[in-house]
Amino acid sequence: MATKANITVDQGSTFVTQVDLTDENGDPINLAAYTATAQVRRWYSSVDPSAVFTTSTGPNTAAGVVTLSLTSTQTANLDFGRYVYDVNLTDASNTVTRVLEGIVTVTPRVTR
């Protein structure tokens, strides 16, 4: 079952956050054999993503850290309001595991 975490994104700003992934014992998950993907969608049933996070598990994959980022252009293209997101890990045998999910709140900007 995926962990739930809500995030806030400022419209028109660069967004970066790190997610620490641990196993049931609290130890970091070694991400060397995994690829991370993450998307923002307006609704769970949306066909196309509103934004696709750039993901990184390096440089120390043994630390269990996934970095998620969106450019200022990507966040500027998001209407303010509520979205959903998730983070998936795919292993070498193509098994996909959802590790994180939640609500993205995009706050409106003034300066353009």
Side-chain angles (χ1 to χ4, degrees):
M1 176 180 262
T3 300
K4 307 239 190 277
N6 298 332
I7 57 178
T8 300
V9 173
D10 296 326
Q11 187 183 49
S13 296
T14 301
F15 174 82
V16 178
T17 192
Q18 291 186 325
V19 178
D20 297 320
L21 300 177
T22 57
D23 63 19
E24 60 277 353
N25 298 318
D27 298 321
I29 296 172
N30 188 332
L31 299 173
Y34 294 92
T35 302
T37 56
Q39 295 183 355
V40 176
R41 294 180 186 249
R42 192 56 149 167
W43 302 280
Y44 289 104
S45 60
S46 297
V47 174
D48 295 319
S50 299
V52 176
F53 286 102
T54 298
T55 59
S56 171
T57 58
N60 182 5
T61 56
V65 176
V66 176
T67 301
L68 305 175
S69 59
L70 296 170
T71 66
S72 59
T73 301
Q74 286 177 293
T75 66
N77 288 330
L78 293 172
D79 293 329
F80 69 88
R82 213 172 137 173
Y83 293 77
V84 293
Y85 81 102
D86 62 14
V87 179
N88 292 321
L89 293 180
T90 305
D91 67 15
S93 64
N94 254 358
T95 300
V96 177
T97 304
R98 185 175 351 140
V99 292
L100 185 65
E101 65 184 1
I103 303 296
V104 176
T105 302
V106 178
T107 59
R109 67 178 175 169
V110 175
T111 305
R112 303 217 186 268

